[in-house]
Amino acid sequence: MERWQNINNLVVVGLGITGLSVVQHVTKRYPHVTVRVMDSRDNPPGKDELPSNVALHSGSFNLEWLLNADLVVCNPGIALATPEITAAIQANVPVVGDIELFAWSNSKPVIAITGSNGKSTVTDLTGVLARAAGLNVGVGGNIGVPALDLLDIDADLYVLELSSFQLETTSSLRTRVSAFLNLSEDHMDRYQGMEDYAQAKRRIFTHAEHLLVNRDEPETYPNTDAIQGRLHQGKLHTFGSDANDFGMQISEHETGLLDQGELIVQAQQLKLIGKHNWSNALVACALLKLAGIDYRNSLTALKDYSGLSHRCQVVAQRDSVTWVNDSKATNVASTLAALSGLQLEGKLYLLVGGVGKGADFSDLKPALSSLNVALCCFGKDGQAFLDLHSSAKLYDSMDEVIDLVTPQLKAGDMVMLSPACASFDQFANFMARGDHFTTLAEHYSQNVNE
């Protein structure tokens, strides 16, 4: 409460789900504070849910409001380089985000996760495993529930996915353990380069008791003296594809997930598909251990976890044939991740195609060459995949693919939708595409070998 004593005039920049959560949090807990909202959109989502005593300025940013504020809470989707926000910062008006407000109010342990890829799966799975261990868990942040709404849950632990945008305006978040999973080029319209982007993500380590980084990617390591000093205090931990620390033991036919050399689980016992997802499972176990939670009480839940919807999600299994929905793979990098480390007893029927957006698909060729694969191409740019593998065939639609390949399926085979393309030639979005695949999989899997 002490932080709020001198805050009487608060401005929320950007409405939507996050902005509404800020308004509700402040008006509920600090009735002495006058809250106003601004949004550059003429008709911002959520405006009809604003309390009657909260003023809204829409269609632009109100500089006068910003300069007269005691505190500005900025939506992560709005860059700090926006001229009106920059002017407020230069006038010494404090500018924070919703995660900073969460940090001011929270007294429970926090596990925080950032990275360019996989952070949603790691966040969700960590929550699943913590619940299986008997804890009341609040999961949210950049995924699902806004962080401030989680404070209404009687939780033993919070698990937060945090984007670089959220971390830019966060300085007080204390965590039991923070993880930086990986770094790949993204959001270059907002950052001055990869190092600038990485530095925003490294803010997750500022007040972390334990740090978890990817030893295969040096960019994920802390780079300030104050934080690097924790390396010598046993507070910095790593995960990776070798057998050290939290790691993997990879052989021709199986992969073991390891904790300090001890087997956690064989990857082949998991429903999760692909080396990147096995790494996600390893990280989730590491996060629990570093937070003082015995993940071995949650191994059944780990084995049963089939992933987030549309992300290498096992949607059907029968007669040793596995059906995988990876519709979220709308670019080449995502499909490559799905294929990495894939170990099959039979053939992979890989469904690719859609709207390619001018992408170069040639990077898929080496990965496909090492697999027993039937490349099933469909959609507007399906023909662009035909030169990638000798098995490639062009189909009119996903329905035609499934209709024609199902009679060929044998035990050990896998049917995977990982299209490396956008969906809007034949579907409303990647979710609709994935849902349609799931419906087909559930129907046709019942007919395999009958």
Side-chain angles (χ1 to χ4, degrees):
M1 181 64 186
E2 190 173 318
R3 291 180 183 269
W4 290 92
Q5 288 179 350
N6 296 320
I7 298 174
N8 297 302
N9 184 9
L10 182 145
V11 175
V12 178
V13 183
L15 197 49
I17 295 174
T18 300
L20 274 176
S21 75
V22 173
V23 171
Q24 292 163 358
H25 172 79
V26 176
T27 56
K28 177 181 178 180
R29 289 170 173 79
Y30 312 104
H32 72 281
V33 177
T34 298
V35 179
R36 293 187 285 187
V37 177
M38 65 178 67
D39 196 296
S40 61
R41 294 167 289 188
D42 291 327
N43 189 30
K47 74 172 188 177
D48 294 337
E49 299 176 55
L50 283 174
S52 58
N53 62 338
V54 174
L56 171 65
H57 175 94
S58 59
S60 65
F61 294 135
N62 188 319
L63 183 58
E64 182 182 356
W65 283 13
L66 291 169
L67 295 179
N68 290 321
D70 299 314
L71 181 69
V72 170
V73 184
C74 193
N75 188 292
I78 298 170
L80 297 181
T82 302
E84 293 86 350
I85 304 299
T86 299
I89 294 171
Q90 291 175 342
N92 295 317
V93 178
V95 176
V96 302
D98 68 311
I99 303 302
E100 181 68 6
L101 297 190
F102 172 90
W104 292 0
S105 297
N106 178 51
S107 60
K108 302 293 179 65
V110 173
I111 293 174
I113 299 118
T114 195
S116 298
N117 299 296
K119 58 184 179 291
S120 294
T121 296
V122 170
T123 301
D124 185 63
L125 178 54
T126 301
V128 167
L129 298 186
R131 291 189 187 100
L135 279 70
N136 292 324
V137 187
V139 177
N142 193 49
I143 177 179
V145 181
L148 289 170
D149 290 357
L150 295 177
L151 294 171
D152 295 329
I153 300 172
D154 183 20
D156 304 309
L157 171 74
Y158 294 115
V159 182
L160 301 181
E161 174 188 321
L162 300 179
S163 70
S164 58
F165 297 167
Q166 290 172 311
L167 289 166
E168 286 176 11
T169 52
T170 302
S171 57
S172 303
L173 182 66
R174 297 188 176 277
T175 67
R176 187 67 57 85
V177 53
S178 289
F180 187 172
L181 304 181
N182 47 54
L183 187 74
S184 60
E185 187 170 327
D186 203 358
H187 307 304
M188 289 299 103
D189 57 336
R190 182 138 160 182
Y191 295 104
Q192 296 177 5
M194 289 294 288
E195 178 54 30
D196 188 33
Y197 175 40
Q199 194 58 27
K201 288 190 171 295
R202 293 187 192 112
R203 291 174 65 91
I204 201 169
F205 295 137
T206 304
H207 301 292
E209 292 180 33
H210 293 275
L211 292 68
L212 182 63
V213 300
N214 185 340
R215 62 176 170 273
D216 298 328
E217 296 196 25
E219 298 84 1
T220 64
Y221 281 65
N223 66 347
T224 62
D225 292 340
I227 297 176
Q228 282 183 329
R230 296 181 208 178
L231 174 63
H232 305 293
Q233 303 168 19
K235 301 295 187 182
L236 191 144
H237 314 264
T238 68
F239 71 93
S241 56
D242 57 33
N244 297 318
D245 206 350
F246 296 98
M248 298 185 186
Q249 189 169 37
I250 302 172
S251 65
E252 185 178 353
H253 298 294
E254 61 184 13
T255 298
L257 307 188
L258 305 179
D259 174 358
Q260 319 305 315
E262 294 187 12
L263 182 68
I264 301 172
V265 67
Q266 293 289 353
Q268 286 69 24
Q269 295 177 275
L270 305 178
K271 289 185 177 179
L272 289 171
I273 300 297
K275 186 179 177 182
H276 69 299
N277 265 330
W278 299 341
S279 178
N280 291 338
L282 178 68
V283 169
C285 291
L287 289 171
L288 260 62
K289 180 180 180 180
L290 297 175
I293 303 164
D294 188 354
Y295 62 76
R296 296 192 182 277
N297 294 326
S298 307
L299 290 183
T300 298
L302 178 63
K303 294 174 184 177
D304 288 341
Y305 184 76
S306 60
L308 289 172
S309 296
H310 314 296
R311 294 171 173 87
C312 275
Q313 178 192 24
V314 176
V315 292
Q317 281 182 309
R318 188 174 182 190
D319 294 330
S320 298
V321 175
T322 303
W323 301 70
V324 180
N325 170 20
D326 191 34
S327 185
K328 183 67 166 60
T330 57
N331 55 49
V332 172
S334 297
T335 299
L336 282 172
L339 299 178
S340 175
L342 203 59
Q343 295 173 330
L344 293 170
E345 295 179 10
K347 178 177 286 190
L348 172 66
Y349 290 84
L350 179 64
L351 280 67
V352 295
V355 180
K357 299 176 290 184
D360 179 3
F361 300 113
S362 60
D363 285 347
L364 290 170
K365 194 167 186 175
L368 294 171
S369 68
S370 62
L371 294 169
N372 179 12
V373 63
L375 192 61
C376 306
C377 316
F378 70 100
K380 177 177 179 290
D381 292 325
Q383 73 280 355
F385 294 84
L386 293 177
D387 292 335
L388 300 183
H389 195 270
S390 59
S391 68
K393 292 183 180 179
L394 186 63
Y395 299 82
D396 288 336
S397 65
M398 182 191 301
D399 296 69
E400 185 181 27
V401 174
I402 301 302
D403 196 30
L404 293 177
V405 305
T406 298
Q408 306 172 38
L409 297 177
K410 300 176 182 177
D413 288 349
M414 177 183 293
V415 184
M416 175 187 283
L417 170 68
S418 187
C421 286
S423 59
F424 48 82
D425 57 334
Q426 296 183 338
F427 300 94
N429 48 49
F430 76 83
M431 295 87 77
R433 177 172 62 187
D435 289 341
H436 188 66
F437 174 81
T438 299
T439 299
L440 294 174
E442 290 172 344
H443 171 73
Y444 282 103
S445 66
Q446 296 175 8
N447 301 318
V448 174
N449 291 341
E450 287 189 354

